[in-house]
């Protein structure tokens, strides 16, 4: 199924494995470090574990074991299929996981593409964005960018183009689905 032109966010699929840090403190480290700033030169792999069962149910192996939309995790299968588009827009940072070879993806395209005036936004008292209920992007800014984050949020989700979604689906990769959050006007 081909994606409609626009911008998407990833969602972990129910029933598929997860990937979590061994230490609770590393959840915040991921929030702080997977933020668009290049990290490759001084990256120290975070100890991680695969979560393969939930409430007694065995979870299905995923090409992208889920952590969150802000920090995508990829197995070798995803890196082999998606590597060129991933490397063009960010960096694959190795993780320390004894169960599988996995990377966390740091999109290095931090793009001021959000049209705040046209989007539906809830704000804290100090004016900072709490939640974006409806995204509107500036088409001229996101054109040609397949993966990016926005600077408007402390922890931005990873935004993906329809080209990325199409390539993922055509590759037959599993564990993630995509929600369109903005439709291109053209």
């Amino acid at each position: 199924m081909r994606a409609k032109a626009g911008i998407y966010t990833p969602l972990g699929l129910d029933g598929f494995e997860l990937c979590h840090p061994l230490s609770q403190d590393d959840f915040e480290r991921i929030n702080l470090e997977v933020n668009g700033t290049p990290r490759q030169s001084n990256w120290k792999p975070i100890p991680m574990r695969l979560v393969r069962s939930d409430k007694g149910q065995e979870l299905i192996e995923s090409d992208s074991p889920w952590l969150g939309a802000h920090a995508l995790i990829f197995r070798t299968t995803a890196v082999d299929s998606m590597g060129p588009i991933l490397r063009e827009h960010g960096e694959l940072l190795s993780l320390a996981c004894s169960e599988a070879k996995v990377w966390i993806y740091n999109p290095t395209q931090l793009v001021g593409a959000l049209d705040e005036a046209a989007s539906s936004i809830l704000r804290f008292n100090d004016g900072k964005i709490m939640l974006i209920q409806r995204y509107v992007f500036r088409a001229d800014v996101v054109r040609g960018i397949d993966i990016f984050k926005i600077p408007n949020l402390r922890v931005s989700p990873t935004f993906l183009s329809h080209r990325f979604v199409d390539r993922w689906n055509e590759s037959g990769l599993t564990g993630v689905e995509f929600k369109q959050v903005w439709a291109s006007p053209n």
Side-chain angles (χ1 to χ4, degrees):
M1 175 174 78
R2 297 203 50 90
K4 297 180 221 159
I7 302 297
Y8 296 76
T9 55
L11 299 167
L13 282 171
D14 284 341
F16 283 85
E17 69 187 346
L18 313 171
C19 189
H20 288 170
L22 291 178
S23 167
Q24 286 296 114
D25 293 341
D26 284 331
F27 280 102
E28 184 60 15
R29 177 181 168 202
I30 290 167
N31 289 345
L32 294 173
E33 292 189 20
V34 180
N35 67 354
T37 302
R39 306 274 179 205
Q40 193 76 56
S41 63
N42 60 357
W43 178 253
K44 293 185 181 25
I46 299 170
M48 305 288 281
R49 68 182 177 88
L50 293 176
V51 178
R52 293 185 163 151
S53 66
D54 182 37
K55 299 176 186 164
Q57 176 191 351
E58 290 301 309
L59 300 176
I60 302 164
E61 185 174 297
S62 174
D63 295 305
S64 182
W66 189 249
L67 176 61
H70 66 294
L72 298 176
I73 308 290
F74 296 118
R75 284 181 177 268
T76 303
T77 50
V79 171
D80 288 348
S81 293
M82 305 295 291
I85 197 169
L86 292 171
R87 288 182 182 94
E88 182 181 346
H89 298 286
E91 55 191 12
L92 292 156
L93 305 171
S94 63
L95 296 170
C97 181
S98 63
E99 301 149 299
K101 191 164 186 167
V102 288
W103 293 264
I104 195 165
Y105 186 67
N106 182 29
T108 54
Q109 301 285 317
L110 192 61
V111 181
L114 184 69
D115 182 340
E116 288 192 29
S119 299
S120 293
I121 297 174
L122 294 177
R123 296 184 183 273
F124 291 106
N125 289 338
D126 66 2
K128 290 183 182 171
I129 295 175
M130 176 189 322
L131 176 70
I132 301 172
Q133 296 173 307
R134 185 178 53 84
Y135 292 91
V136 176
F137 292 102
R138 295 186 357 236
D140 60 319
V141 176
V142 297
R143 188 173 297 113
I145 302 175
D146 292 309
I147 309 166
F148 66 94
K149 287 190 171 211
I150 57 174
N152 312 66
L153 295 168
R154 180 172 106 55
V155 180
S156 170
T158 304
F159 294 100
L160 306 162
S161 71
H162 69 279
R163 288 180 299 273
F164 179 96
V165 173
D166 284 345
R167 185 173 295 170
W168 180 274
N169 291 333
E170 289 163 4
S171 297
L173 297 169
T174 63
V176 184
E177 63 183 351
F178 304 94
K179 176 185 175 190
Q180 186 173 23
V181 295
W182 177 74
S184 178
N186 33 353

